[in-house]
């Protein structure tokens, strides 16, 4: 299956950022709580996920959630399988909002070993990728975590990520490789230097048709990922907010003009389920505007 050329162009050169709407089972209660929906407000997983879907639908349908500022959105598998206003979510994103849809495919993290957390096994990955392609998904996202500057651990993370990436590419999709560096790491800068070198080595081994994106913690050394951003096999380098406040994440991002945002919690900061639609749209619009400005420089 060929990559959608209009979506590829938007990912390569579009002005804006990627919204991360992919909180999964483990992170959903916290995300809902920040939105003003507490555990006592829902009964069991189905009601919890329904509340989360309602929040995501409200975001996607908001006035400012269009390709003028938001060029892509990362979805949770349940969101991909759901509908908004009677339309499959990935289809609505692209056809109605002109936002390129991605799918989070990882199943969570292994326990920490060698100062990193690898991806858990992903049984049935090829079937999921085929289903995603049928639903109009452009690419995927898979997240590992690096806690300290351990060269062997970082190499293991990157090697595993590129192994998954090759499977994703073979399915006609574009993987977002996400080896997050913990923002609280005492050796964050050193870990990022090791990561930049490992990523460049593995990117350089890709074939001409194997295109990837990279989602990375905003670095301590401004511009350390610029060489990767200019590589022929890399469509885009995007930044995760990693626990920084919206303002701090945007400040750091603005010093790295070859990265654009892919924020999750920073995007939804200050939103509340009890807001009127007008107040909700205004608050979300302010966050979107702030993140957009940091992304376009």
């Amino acid at each position: 299956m060929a990559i959608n050329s209009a979506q590829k162009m938007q990912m390569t050169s579009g002005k804006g950022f990627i919204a991360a709407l992919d909180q999964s089972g483990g992170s959903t209660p916290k995300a809902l709580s920040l939105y003003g929906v507490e555990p006592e407000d829902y009964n069991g997983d189905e009601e919890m996920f329904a509340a989360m879907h309602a929040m995501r639908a409200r975001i996607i349908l908001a006035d400012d959630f269009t390709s003028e500022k938001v060029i892509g959105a990362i979805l949770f598998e349940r969101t991909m399988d759901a509908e908004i206003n009677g339309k499959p979510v990935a289809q609505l994103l692209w056809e109605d909002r002109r936002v390129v849809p991605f799918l989070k495919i990882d199943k969570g993290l292994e326990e920490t070993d060698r100062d990193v957390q690898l991806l858990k096994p992903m049984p049935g990955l090829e079937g999921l990728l085929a289903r995603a392609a049928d639903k109009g998904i452009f690419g995927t996202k898979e997240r590992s975590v690096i806690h300290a500057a351990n060269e062997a651990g970082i190499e293991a993370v990157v090697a595993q990520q590129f192994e998954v990436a090759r499977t994703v590419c073979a399915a006609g999709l574009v993987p977002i490789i996400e080896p997050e560096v913990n923002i609280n790491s005492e050796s964050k800068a050193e870990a990022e230097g090791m990561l930049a070198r490992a990523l460049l080595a593995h990117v350089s081994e890709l074939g001409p048709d194997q295109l990837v994106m990279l989602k990375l913690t905003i670095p301590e050394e401004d511009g350390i990922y610029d060489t990767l951003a200019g590589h022929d096999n890399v469509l885009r380098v995007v930044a995760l907010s990693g626990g920084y406040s919206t303002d701090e994440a945007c400040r750091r991002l603005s010093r790295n003009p070859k990265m654009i945002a892919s924020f999750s919690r920073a995007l939804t900061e200050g939103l509340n389920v009890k807001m009127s639609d007008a107040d909700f749209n205004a608050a979300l619009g302010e966050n979107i505007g702030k993140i957009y400005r940091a992304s376009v420089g």
Side-chain angles (χ1 to χ4, degrees):
M1 183 180 292
I3 294 172
N4 181 306
S5 58
Q7 293 180 345
K8 178 185 172 185
M9 182 173 292
Q10 184 156 308
M11 280 303 101
T12 305
S13 56
K15 290 191 178 300
F17 67 94
I18 297 173
L21 303 175
D22 59 330
Q23 297 91 348
S24 54
S27 54
T28 297
K30 183 179 179 184
L32 281 174
S33 182
L34 290 169
Y35 182 53
V37 179
E38 300 298 343
E40 58 266 25
D41 297 326
Y42 50 84
N43 182 23
D45 283 356
E46 288 306 315
E47 288 189 13
M48 177 184 75
F49 286 122
M52 195 72 212
H53 184 65
M55 175 186 168
R56 288 177 178 138
R58 199 178 188 193
I59 291 169
I60 288 168
L61 296 173
D63 296 344
D64 286 333
F65 199 91
T66 71
S67 61
E68 286 188 19
K69 293 177 181 172
V70 183
I71 61 173
I74 305 169
L75 306 176
F76 178 42
E77 186 178 347
R78 276 178 175 260
T79 310
M80 177 186 77
D81 291 333
E83 296 183 346
I84 295 175
N85 292 346
K87 201 169 190 177
V89 176
Q91 187 181 339
L92 179 139
L93 274 170
W94 180 241
E95 293 180 359
D96 298 6
R97 317 302 282 171
R98 229 52 196 166
V99 173
V100 177
F102 290 81
L103 175 67
K104 166 189 158 70
I105 60 169
D106 66 74
K107 304 298 183 187
L109 300 167
E110 298 280 17
E111 292 299 316
T112 301
D113 178 46
R114 291 177 293 179
D115 299 309
V116 302
Q117 289 179 273
L118 295 172
L119 299 162
K120 283 184 175 176
M122 289 180 267
L125 177 60
E126 290 180 353
L128 175 61
L129 295 174
R131 195 155 57 83
D134 286 343
K135 288 178 178 284
I137 295 290
F138 174 77
T140 65
K141 191 209 79 165
E142 39 277 358
R143 171 179 172 264
S144 317
V145 178
I146 296 164
H147 295 290
N150 182 317
E151 200 142 19
I154 290 170
E155 173 57 29
V157 160
V158 175
Q160 184 191 43
Q161 281 277 359
F162 275 82
E163 184 181 350
V164 174
R166 284 182 163 83
T167 301
V168 175
C169 290
L173 303 174
V174 175
I176 299 178
I177 293 167
E178 183 183 10
E180 175 180 349
V181 177
N182 187 331
I183 65 168
N184 298 311
S185 171
E186 293 181 0
S187 54
K188 181 172 182 282
E190 189 183 351
E192 287 165 347
M194 293 176 181
L195 177 61
R197 291 189 293 274
L199 286 170
L200 189 58
H202 282 268
V203 163
S204 299
E205 293 174 357
L206 294 174
D209 297 328
Q210 293 175 313
L211 302 175
V212 302
M213 295 171 62
L214 303 173
K215 182 168 177 174
L216 307 170
T217 306
I218 309 170
E220 296 302 299
E221 181 187 328
D222 297 340
I224 194 171
Y225 299 127
D226 285 1
T227 301
L228 285 159
H231 197 284
D232 288 346
N233 291 86
V234 179
L235 286 187
R236 210 71 181 257
V237 177
V238 306
L240 58 100
S241 50
Y244 292 126
S245 69
T246 306
D247 287 344
E248 177 65 12
C250 287
R251 268 195 301 273
R252 286 172 171 263
L253 179 61
S254 65
R255 302 198 303 264
N256 289 274
K258 294 195 176 181
M259 299 177 82
I260 64 170
S262 177
F263 293 171
S264 173
R265 192 202 48 73
L267 173 67
T268 58
E269 189 170 273
L271 303 182
N272 191 278
V273 66
K274 295 183 175 66
M275 284 177 164
S276 67
D277 284 345
D279 288 346
F280 180 91
N281 285 349
L284 178 63
E286 189 173 328
N287 286 350
I288 286 174
K290 200 178 290 184
I291 298 166
Y292 172 81
R293 289 189 294 275
S295 294
V296 299

